[in-house]
Amino acid sequence: MAELLADHTTLRVGGPARRWVEADTEQALISAVADADAAGEPVLLLSGGSNMVVSDDGFDGVVVHVATRGIGGQVASCDLGEAACGGIMVDVAAGENWSAFVDWTVASELVGVEALAGIPGTVGSTPIQNVGAYGQDVSQTLWHVRTWDRRTRSPKLFSNADCAFGYRSSRFKAEPDRYVVLGVTFQLTQGTRSSKVRYAELANRVGVEVGHKANLAAVRDAVLALRRGKGMVLDAEDHDTWSAGSFFTNPVVTPEVAAALPPEAPRFDAGGGLVKSSAAWLIDHAGFGKGYGVAPVTLSTKHALAITNRGGARADEVIALAREIRDGVEAKWGVRLVPEPVFVGVSLD
């Protein structure tokens, strides 16, 4: 029986895979992709399925499930102290669960990714999207990414500087069919105090001022509580978590566009003379509040940025609501939202 992709995505939509390969070693992963490429067979790499909307028709090719495991670390060797040494390098297999890895770092008293707790998906997906939340993103601690280059059919190592990281972007996202992420190495520091807390909501929750540190485990726990309150921690019993996470990225606009928004609209310096606003605020204040829509597809009842499956939804219904919201926000505010998930066989246009 064909594997239904709805069973392997957090949004729980998607038709069958024509062929399914479980890759639990790096060599199996490389071989599955290389063999399919040589045969001219379309390939879909699937890990946690947390940032994906798949067509109801499924995928007419081979779906390679990235199921590799392994975490290893070593202290950087030098006599100049922790700051000069750079702390600890931790190499993580692409198929490791991201949230479980964050828990492991906190239990191991390693600092640098604690504010990224509870994000669904696997480690190998995090550099593709430059995953971030609550003032942290993976580009801040990522040392290098090990990949398989499908064009040259050879391994390729990328340093942080080579990854072209931006807001929810990277060179891997820009070239989606070229590189297979095999593993990621993070540069973390030892300690029981967190990185500087950069996000006001989180700082308030742990009782410190923005820019100060807090207890490492307390920061992780506070992030999990905040995410649960927004339906952003997976729970099979909670339909608000049957989603692809934040469906739209926060828009980065010119000062002129930002100035045309209401005074109360959130504004943040995005660098380069640009301004970032809040997609959730724009959606909510364009008339698409929490719970908007008609089952089986509605916005989350906890957060206006997540499109959810209330049970039995189809991909075309998800796309219809996403298109309605995107077009409505543009008509109201003159800002065209950009979708965050990977679309497979579907499109908003």
Side-chain angles (χ1 to χ4, degrees):
M1 181 179 294
E3 289 282 348
L4 274 180
L5 296 181
D7 295 333
H8 298 279
T9 59
T10 57
L11 185 56
R12 305 189 184 209
V13 300
R18 179 160 59 80
R19 189 161 70 88
W20 177 274
V21 175
E22 190 80 5
D24 57 5
T25 68
E26 280 193 12
Q27 188 52 57
L29 176 55
I30 293 169
S31 295
V33 175
D35 291 349
D37 285 345
E41 187 175 15
V43 175
L44 174 63
L45 290 167
L46 178 71
S47 48
S50 60
N51 193 45
M52 184 174 288
V53 182
V54 182
S55 165
D56 300 311
D57 294 330
F59 186 72
D60 189 21
V62 58
V63 177
V64 180
H65 184 223
V66 182
T68 53
R69 296 290 185 270
I71 302 175
Q74 62 179 12
V75 179
S77 176
C78 75
D79 299 320
L80 302 177
E82 179 184 295
C85 289
I88 290 183
M89 302 295 184
V90 182
D91 187 58
V92 193
E96 282 286 348
N97 178 276
W98 172 257
S99 192
F101 168 62
V102 174
D103 288 344
W104 179 87
T105 67
V106 172
S108 303
E109 297 185 348
L110 297 176
V111 180
V113 294
E114 60 279 356
L116 303 178
I119 295 175
T122 61
V123 169
S125 299
T126 60
I128 298 172
Q129 197 76 3
N130 188 18
V131 164
Y134 296 103
Q136 281 186 350
D137 61 52
V138 296
S139 71
Q140 295 166 354
T141 51
L142 184 144
W143 184 252
H144 63 226
V145 181
R146 294 185 298 106
T147 74
W148 171 259
D149 186 337
R150 295 169 64 182
R151 185 177 301 170
T152 65
R153 297 175 62 85
S154 63
K156 186 170 179 61
L157 186 70
F158 291 92
S159 70
N160 186 305
D162 295 328
C163 294
F165 285 126
Y167 172 60
R168 302 295 175 269
S169 66
S170 69
R171 73 177 303 157
F172 311 112
K173 187 174 182 178
E175 299 181 82
D177 297 320
R178 179 164 183 182
Y179 299 105
V180 180
V181 176
L182 304 175
V184 185
T185 298
F186 295 92
Q187 183 184 37
L188 306 174
T189 55
Q190 295 175 287
T192 58
R193 304 287 287 174
S194 69
S195 302
K196 291 180 180 179
V197 179
R198 299 182 174 92
Y199 198 83
E201 185 181 22
L202 177 58
N204 182 64
R205 180 63 70 102
V206 296
V208 301
E209 294 182 5
V210 172
H212 288 66
K213 298 182 179 182
N215 175 271
L216 183 65
V219 169
R220 186 272 314 274
D221 292 346
V223 167
L224 288 174
L226 287 168
R227 291 185 64 85
R228 286 193 185 97
K230 298 173 183 177
M232 293 294 187
V233 176
L234 295 180
D235 180 349
E237 302 302 315
D238 183 359
H239 283 278
D240 280 333
T241 74
W242 291 27
S243 75
S246 298
F247 205 92
F248 297 99
T249 60
N250 289 324
V252 176
V253 300
T254 64
E256 293 75 20
V257 172
L261 297 175
E264 63 273 23
R267 293 169 173 80
F268 309 95
D269 180 12
L274 298 174
V275 180
K276 183 190 296 184
S277 189
S278 165
W281 190 96
L282 296 175
I283 290 169
D284 191 16
H285 290 79
F288 305 104
K290 299 172 185 176
Y292 179 88
V294 179
V297 177
T298 73
L299 289 180
S300 166
T301 66
K302 301 181 179 74
H303 199 278
L305 197 49
I307 294 176
T308 65
N309 178 354
R310 313 315 291 187
R314 292 175 52 84
D316 57 3
E317 295 170 315
V318 172
I319 292 298
L321 180 57
R323 186 179 293 121
E324 179 187 359
I325 291 168
R326 181 200 62 184
D327 294 349
V329 167
E330 185 172 24
K332 177 72 173 180
W333 305 120
V335 175
R336 190 173 181 84
L337 296 178
V338 176
E340 187 166 331
V342 174
F343 290 162
V344 179
V346 295
S347 172
L348 289 189
D349 298 320

